[in-house]
């Protein structure tokens, strides 16, 4: 079903087709983009540290992890304050995940907080959290090796 909707993107244009996805399908698309870039992924990953956390998509390649929050916000919302709050919460999740992973793996890992949006937000990052629109996600991943990004 998701692939059928992606075919529609080719015919109708990305914005119109993406707006027809549900939030669950949006998370699936994000997962599929990471998997196409050789990441192992888990949807709606839950873990407990001091409290219970949920990550929309957890993507792993070697000792690098992306802690991904998918924001399926429609156009026209006042989102800058919402994005700031979402980035702060995403960094909190990423830091908690890093502590858990390093305890279990007994070695250092890199954890990158990331928010994937439906549409461009005009902001590329807040703090250590990257903000990437879905249609730029593959390019972002392909250019990672040329960027010096800092995780939590």
């Amino acid at each position: 079903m998701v692939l059928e909707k992606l075919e529609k993107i080719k015919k109708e244009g990305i914005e119109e087709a993406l707006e027809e996805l549900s939030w669950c399908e949006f998370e699936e698309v994000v997962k599929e983009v990471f998997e196409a870039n050789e990441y192992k992924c888990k949807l709606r990953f839950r873990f407990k540290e001091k409290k219970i956390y949920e990550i929309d998509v957890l993507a792993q390649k070697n000792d690098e992890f992306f802690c991904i929050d998918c924001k399926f916000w429609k156009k026209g919302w006042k989102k800058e304050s919402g994005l700031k709050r979402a980035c702060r919460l995403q960094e909190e999740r990423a830091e908690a995940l890093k502590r858990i992973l390093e305890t279990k793996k007994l070695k250092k890992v890199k954890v990158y907080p990331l928010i994937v949006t439906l549409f461009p937000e005009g902001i590329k990052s807040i703090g250590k959290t990257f903000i990437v629109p879905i249609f730029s996600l593959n390019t972002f991943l392909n250019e990672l090796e040329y960027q010096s990004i800092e995780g939590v």
Side-chain angles (χ1 to χ4, degrees):
M1 180 189 278
V2 173
L3 292 177
E4 290 170 5
K5 289 189 179 186
L6 291 177
E7 280 298 314
K8 191 173 184 178
I9 290 172
K10 291 179 185 176
K11 293 177 185 170
E12 295 181 4
I14 193 163
E15 290 188 6
E16 292 81 10
L18 286 172
E19 282 186 335
E20 291 185 19
L21 295 175
S22 70
W23 65 268
C24 282
E25 292 169 326
F26 183 67
E27 290 177 354
E28 272 290 330
V29 170
V30 171
K31 176 181 170 274
E32 288 178 19
V33 171
F34 272 88
E35 288 176 339
N37 284 278
E38 301 176 358
Y39 284 83
K40 295 177 194 170
C41 297
K42 292 185 180 181
L43 277 177
R44 296 172 210 101
F45 178 75
R46 287 181 165 211
F47 66 99
K48 184 176 179 182
E49 193 195 36
K50 296 174 186 170
K51 62 183 186 179
I52 296 172
Y53 294 95
E54 183 171 321
I55 298 168
D56 292 342
V57 181
L58 178 62
Q60 175 192 5
K61 187 188 286 186
N62 303 317
D63 289 330
E64 294 186 341
F65 295 81
F66 274 94
C67 180
I68 306 153
D69 191 17
C70 300
K71 292 296 180 200
F72 192 66
W73 293 338
K74 303 289 183 179
K75 285 184 174 180
W77 289 23
K78 296 273 184 188
K79 295 181 263 188
E80 190 170 336
S81 62
L83 270 175
K84 286 180 183 176
R85 182 177 186 280
C87 287
R88 186 179 69 250
L89 292 172
Q90 194 62 1
E91 285 182 24
E92 180 185 315
R93 287 183 205 102
E95 288 168 355
L97 178 66
K98 181 179 172 106
R99 286 189 295 270
I100 295 287
L101 290 171
E102 288 183 347
T103 300
K104 288 185 176 185
K105 290 183 168 278
L106 301 175
K107 64 180 178 178
K108 294 243 180 228
V109 296
K110 291 181 182 178
V111 179
Y112 305 107
L114 174 67
I115 293 180
V116 178
T117 60
L118 185 57
F119 298 108
E121 299 299 331
I123 303 170
K124 294 187 180 196
S125 66
I126 296 175
K128 294 181 179 180
T129 305
F130 286 92
I131 303 165
V132 179
I134 184 67
F135 60 82
S136 298
L137 183 57
N138 194 59
T139 302
F140 172 80
L141 293 173
N142 287 326
E143 294 176 353
L144 264 181
E145 63 187 272
Y146 305 110
Q147 301 175 28
S148 59
I149 66 170
E150 188 178 320
V152 293

